[in-house]
Amino acid sequence: MKNIDSFGHVRGESLFLDDIIPQQNTLFGLVFDSPKAHGILKKLDISKAEAIEGVIKIFTHKDIPGENQIGGIIPDEPLLAENEVHFLGQPIAFIVAVSESIAKEARTLIKIEIDALPVITGAKEAAAKQQFIGTPRTFNLGNTSKAFRKCDYVFEDAVFTNGQEHLYLETQGAYAIPMENGSIKITSSTQGPTQVQKGIARVLGIGMHMVEVDVIRLGGGFGGKEDQATPWATLTALATYLLEKPVKFILNRHDDLRMTGKRHPYESNFKIGLAKDLKIIAFEADFYQNAGAAADLSPAVAERTIFHATNSYFIENVRTSVYSCRTNLPPNTAFRGFGGPQGMFVIEAAIAKAAHEIGITAKEIQEINLLQENDELSYGQIMTQTEAVSSWQSTIEKFNYKKLITEVNAFNKRNNDFKKGIAVMPICFGISFTNTPMNHARALVHIYQDGTVGISTGAVEMGQGVNTKMLQVAVQTFAIEPEKVKLETTNTTRVANTSPSAASSTADLNGKALLKACSAILERLKTVAAQELKVNEEEISLLNEWVYVNSKKSSLSWKKLVAKAMLARIALSEKAHYTTPVIHFDKTKEKGHPFAYHVYGTAMITTTVDCTRGTYVFDSIKIVHDYGKSMSEGIDLGQVEGALAQGIGWMTMEEIAYDKSGLLLSNALSTYKIPDIFSIADNIEVIPLETDGNEMAIFKSKAVGEPPLMYGIGAYFAIQNAIKAYNPNYTLKFHTPMTPEKVLMSLYEK
Ligand code: MTE
Ligand code: HPA
Ligand code: MOS
């Protein structure tokens, strides 16, 4: 089915936060943030700023009636700084004025004095100073120290993966309106309406029942609005609550880039051991995660790094450890893949290093170590319905790797100004929130007496097409036309206590809850139909808005059936609750079965490097992806292509740069480059792996949001292989992104 939003989007009619027509007397917010990355707040003078006409009030931490705290996993993050600042961009005051331009003017008049303290910007630098968040985590399988002694080859190296800016088209923001008796209604651009509701209640010192959060849709989230929509919504709510006025606050791009966290940069070390036959016998890795100045979601992100540290491979002896390191950068946060990509890059780097040293291609190592049915991962999950080998073989055969590599080698023999490189990238990504208690959802369904349907779930539409998938669940269950179904906004008063829309699990969790609710109503309707038509319930089925008895069309239409049910005083509304079965995890043992299932696939990426300029193009990207039984092929293909582009961007061109003082240098789109339509191959082909799908996926249509991002990792190694073909003196480096500057240096390295 086509995305139900495409029509509205292309006509510019879809509603986003900024499309809400502001009420009269709406005020506008703006954050005054720390100009220094670390220091003691000596003096804050807001008097001049507050004195200008049109400024209503400037809030500081002193105005907060509840708790000045927004930390989700660990309470280590004040909403507004008190005595100390921990990153450049940290909110210190919230200016509320009659217009944005006046608020901006006021911001320039705030005077601040900070006694600077030492600034830490790197993860290993923080680790050396024992600046850790929480305790390190280690997964163990077998015995690596014993196993290394048996290895024919052992290689070690260091790896750096840079962060990544979410660059959602729609920046962060919220619009709050005062309601009766001190309650608030807020529209927020958040992936986590409940997170926002909880945050506001905590900061205002009121009950969650006094806060209604509504989400229309997001102009992209990519993880950046899982937890980090909360501070802006909370500031907006604070002003609305205290001033009893509507307040709107949408960050401009510069503020958003400076103040919000990004994908976590990681510094890592690996040690890989192989036997003569290229079996990987042992693997060790230490991951140093640059968490930024507060925990945010870092411990959860760190956990997923070691869950995915062996990617699609079975390794008998594994020891992986992750350290979350506190630095003076904005708190880094969820980003598509949630730590998984950082883990996977390291094992791919280890394989590339081993291949280079042994003098073979990485492919030869990759393919004999792929996961097989019943293999055990380092965290204890036994793999079932494993598609690592099938997706690999499918890619190699269907896209004719043999022919391609022969062509690439022949090209490289003939040409010296240009070199080609090829890389194969398998993926294996676990589906479920790694934190088991988060895997639940609810849905609320109303059938109106005219036969139309209203649906509410906890799912937030952020471009990934979840609303279309939810609509499909209802349409399919009731056998009615899509026009009869409306997806309501995501609202905490209709569906409460939701997990954020994240972990690629939104459609599975909310879809399963919705299916339950729809099925319950359907059962009641079938009873009504059976009574009405004087047949057994089992004989009733629905098709194209009509009731059938033993596959024969009856006199009863869907519309009539609903009307009859209404007269018979049957409940036409239902809510349902779904929790993922089977999953569990024991953190004391670091073993369990945390994922409902895994998503697989294999990409093959070919690049041509211009050896005079260091620039590169991707000639072709061929993917076999495991969709299960895709319920929306167009949407799922869009997710694969979008994630791939984002992955390639992370690997090749998106370069976050902070200077030593913690100042973001890549603070605009002139200095932070993301892929455009020309950066990605014309020649992208994605074909589905034919599988049975998975029972725990909605309609056996597997989660698709994050996994394909990791195909992009192949881009790094394809370019590296082209560099190797040009410069025999090149020493392998694992330092992302592989920008044209770095390529050029590598091509001419002695
Ligand atoms: N696709 C679009 N267009 N916009 C987004 O913000 N977020 C990604 C992915 N695809 C995102 C997207 C991330 S980080 C996740 S976790 C999933 O979508 C969330 O949606 P899902 O659970 O419905 O897959
Ligand atoms: N993935 C994405 N977001 C999350 C997770 C996860 O595993 N856990 C908590 N938030
Ligand atoms: Mo996605 S990083 O789980 O929002």
Side-chain angles (χ1 to χ4, degrees):
M1 181 174 177
K2 215 168 124 178
N3 192 321
I4 53 170
D5 274 346
S6 31
F7 190 75
H9 281 5
V10 293
R11 291 166 59 101
E13 290 170 355
S14 300
L15 297 181
F16 294 83
L17 172 68
D18 204 21
D19 295 312
I20 298 173
I21 297 165
Q23 291 190 0
Q24 264 183 4
N25 304 321
T26 290
L27 302 172
F28 296 86
L30 189 73
V31 163
F32 172 79
D33 60 305
S34 175
K36 288 233 154 61
H38 194 195
I40 305 291
L41 238 172
K42 273 281 163 221
K43 206 169 133 196
L44 180 70
D45 181 4
I46 55 171
S47 56
K48 272 224 175 74
E50 218 169 20
I52 62 174
E53 193 171 330
V55 172
I56 306 299
K57 169 105 185 130
I58 298 177
F59 297 95
T60 68
H61 71 92
K62 292 183 188 135
D63 299 298
I64 291 174
E67 207 185 332
N68 181 23
Q69 184 54 245
I70 52 164
I73 297 179
I74 299 172
D76 66 347
E77 192 178 358
L79 175 65
L80 292 169
E82 294 186 14
N83 305 317
E84 209 174 313
V85 288
H86 296 277
F87 65 93
L88 198 156
Q90 183 174 356
I92 294 174
F94 189 56
I95 306 159
V96 178
V98 296
S99 77
E100 258 179 65
S101 57
I102 292 175
K104 266 189 192 154
E105 192 193 334
R107 183 157 77 173
T108 64
L109 297 174
I110 295 180
K111 295 244 164 10
I112 188 164
E113 280 173 33
I114 294 172
D115 277 356
L117 289 168
V119 172
I120 301 175
T121 56
K124 279 189 180 168
E125 187 192 346
K129 294 183 175 153
Q130 298 292 313
Q131 293 296 310
F132 295 115
I133 291 173
T135 45
R137 300 276 300 273
T138 296
F139 288 178
N140 262 308
L141 182 70
N143 184 329
T144 46
S145 21
K146 258 197 202 154
F148 275 121
R149 277 182 248 133
K150 290 190 302 191
C151 292
D152 297 309
Y153 308 107
V154 177
F155 307 104
E156 296 177 59
D157 215 332
V159 175
F160 172 76
T161 50
N162 205 331
Q164 186 175 22
E165 165 57 41
H166 301 88
L167 219 83
Y168 21 65
L169 275 178
E170 178 203 37
T171 53
Q172 304 269 7
Y175 181 43
I177 298 167
M179 306 298 280
E180 305 183 307
N181 307 320
S183 68
I184 282 179
K185 180 172 176 182
I186 183 160
T187 307
S188 164
S189 177
T190 180
Q191 291 173 242
T194 296
Q195 267 75 357
V196 166
Q197 183 190 20
K198 224 162 107 174
I200 292 172
R202 184 180 189 181
V203 166
L204 299 187
I206 60 177
M208 284 170 74
H209 66 310
M210 301 296 273
V211 184
E212 175 184 348
V213 181
D214 193 77
V215 183
I216 310 169
R217 63 162 62 70
L218 315 189
F222 306 111
K225 295 171 183 171
E226 181 174 334
D227 263 28
Q228 293 205 0
T230 303
W232 324 114
T234 305
L235 287 168
T236 310
L238 173 74
T240 287
Y241 184 72
L242 295 176
L243 299 172
E244 295 178 40
K245 287 266 163 49
V247 177
K248 183 170 170 175
F249 174 37
I250 297 181
L251 276 73
N252 64 52
R253 184 64 71 184
H254 266 103
D255 284 0
D256 190 303
L257 290 171
R258 186 175 69 255
M259 294 178 193
T260 65
K262 309 173 195 314
R263 183 189 292 287
H264 295 78
Y266 273 61
E267 292 168 63
S268 314
N269 301 315
F270 67 77
K271 183 172 173 186
I272 187 168
L274 301 89
K276 271 257 143 41
D277 66 359
L278 304 181
K279 268 269 171 208
I280 305 172
I281 309 287
F283 178 66
E284 286 185 349
D286 289 291
F287 296 95
Y288 296 87
Q289 177 200 54
N290 190 332
D296 192 273
L297 288 162
S298 297
V301 171
E303 171 174 87
R304 199 177 268 277
T305 299
I306 50 176
F307 277 120
H308 293 333
T310 55
N311 190 15
S312 308
Y313 310 108
F314 172 66
I315 305 175
E316 248 181 272
N317 302 282
V318 180
R319 200 265 315 146
T320 51
S321 304
V322 63
Y323 305 81
S324 185
C325 309
R326 199 186 291 277
T327 62
N328 298 107
L329 302 183
N332 287 314
T333 193
F335 196 131
R336 208 169 192 170
F338 206 75
Q342 291 95 321
M344 288 191 200
F345 183 82
V346 171
I347 181 73
E348 294 302 326
I351 290 172
K353 169 99 178 180
H356 181 71
E357 296 293 334
I358 299 169
I360 53 172
T361 61
K363 173 184 170 273
E364 290 168 73
I365 299 176
Q366 289 173 307
E367 68 191 349
I368 75 153
N369 288 287
L370 292 169
L371 280 164
Q372 315 255 2
E373 201 68 359
N374 297 319
D375 278 345
E376 182 180 349
L377 291 180
S378 66
Y379 50 90
Q381 184 151 349
I382 307 296
M383 302 305 275
T384 56
Q385 292 184 273
T386 316
E387 306 288 356
V389 173
S390 55
S391 72
W392 175 279
Q393 280 176 348
S394 221
T395 295
I396 298 297
E397 283 157 26
K398 290 203 170 124
F399 296 121
N400 208 341
Y401 172 85
K402 249 201 189 132
K403 181 161 172 264
L404 198 59
I405 189 80
T406 311
E407 284 169 10
V408 164
N409 290 337
F411 178 94
N412 286 346
K413 263 214 185 98
R414 279 200 318 272
N415 295 282
N416 212 37
D417 294 341
F418 293 86
K419 291 288 182 188
K420 286 187 188 287
I422 180 166
V424 190
M425 179 65 203
I427 60 155
C428 169
F429 194 81
I431 301 305
S432 288
F433 287 95
T434 55
N435 181 20
T436 303
M438 291 176 78
N439 294 284
H440 60 87
R442 280 150 304 285
L444 172 68
V445 179
H446 300 309
I447 299 190
Y448 298 103
Q449 49 193 291
D450 65 352
T452 60
V453 176
I455 290 174
S456 302
T457 73
V460 169
E461 175 61 54
M462 55 187 123
Q464 88 279 42
V466 71
N467 277 359
T468 304
K469 290 186 175 179
M470 294 305 99
L471 183 123
Q472 283 181 285
V473 171
V475 162
Q476 213 160 310
T477 311
F478 295 135
I480 55 176
E481 290 300 312
E483 291 71 34
K484 282 212 162 55
V485 184
K486 174 162 183 255
L487 256 295
E488 303 296 348
T489 58
T490 316
N491 186 298
T492 53
T493 64
R494 282 192 295 272
V495 178
N497 304 318
T498 57
S499 287
S501 286
S504 304
S505 303
T506 316
D508 278 0
L509 295 172
N510 292 278
K512 288 272 189 179
L514 178 59
L515 181 60
K516 254 173 121 174
C518 291
S519 304
I521 305 180
L522 181 67
E523 283 316 304
R524 294 200 286 269
L525 288 175
K526 278 185 173 174
T527 310
V528 173
Q531 279 164 2
E532 198 64 30
L533 300 167
K534 304 200 167 48
V535 295
N536 286 327
E537 252 176 78
E538 302 76 61
E539 298 171 86
I540 301 282
S541 62
L542 284 138
L543 186 69
N544 299 331
E545 307 202 344
W546 216 273
V547 178
Y548 283 70
V549 180
N550 292 325
S551 312
K552 266 182 64 194
K553 200 168 181 173
S554 75
S555 57
L556 209 53
S557 70
W558 163 260
K559 224 176 144 163
K560 247 193 194 162
L561 172 62
V562 171
K564 294 274 182 211
M566 179 78 190
L567 285 175
R569 297 185 292 173
I570 299 299
L572 292 174
S573 295
E574 187 71 36
K575 74 147 212 346
H577 173 80
Y578 173 78
T579 57
T580 313
V582 183
I583 54 171
H584 58 89
F585 195 73
D586 182 347
K587 276 196 187 179
T588 62
K589 298 195 175 77
E590 299 288 28
K591 296 283 178 194
H593 188 105
F595 299 117
Y597 58 89
H598 287 79
V599 169
Y600 300 86
T602 302
M604 185 163 78
I605 301 186
T606 314
T607 183
T608 303
V609 171
D610 178 334
C611 300
T612 315
R613 298 180 176 81
T615 53
Y616 41 78
V617 292
F618 297 104
D619 308 331
S620 77
I621 301 173
K622 307 286 186 181
I623 295 172
V624 173
H625 184 79
D626 163 29
Y627 297 102
K629 296 248 170 281
S630 175
M631 65 189 287
S632 309
E633 284 163 14
I635 287 172
D636 287 352
L637 175 62
Q639 284 293 294
V640 174
E641 291 178 344
L644 168 72
Q646 214 163 22
I648 290 178
W650 174 52
M651 281 287 112
T652 65
M653 62 200 301
E654 298 186 37
E655 191 166 30
I656 302 253
Y658 287 97
D659 72 10
K660 278 283 151 212
S661 77
L663 175 74
L664 180 67
L665 301 173
S666 51
N667 67 347
L669 290 179
S670 52
T671 47
Y672 187 78
K673 292 293 179 195
I674 64 160
D676 59 18
I677 196 75
F678 301 109
S679 329
I680 309 297
D682 288 336
N683 197 1
I684 298 181
E685 206 177 329
V686 186
I687 55 175
L689 181 70
E690 307 288 341
T691 67
D692 292 337
N694 190 289
E695 283 298 340
M696 281 196 265
I698 180 68
F699 290 156
K700 298 191 176 183
S701 178
K702 283 184 159 187
V704 68
E706 296 166 284
L709 182 131
M710 283 145 276
Y711 292 135
I713 292 172
Y716 186 96
F717 295 99
I719 296 171
Q720 191 169 61
N721 286 338
I723 296 169
K724 277 171 55 171
Y726 183 83
N727 182 5
N729 297 321
Y730 166 68
T731 329
L732 257 57
K733 273 173 272 304
F734 307 107
H735 194 285
T736 76
M738 185 69 101
T739 56
E741 292 87 337
K742 273 197 211 147
V743 174
L744 197 63
M745 304 283 277
S746 304
L747 287 167
Y748 295 98
E749 172 183 304
K750 293 259 159 47

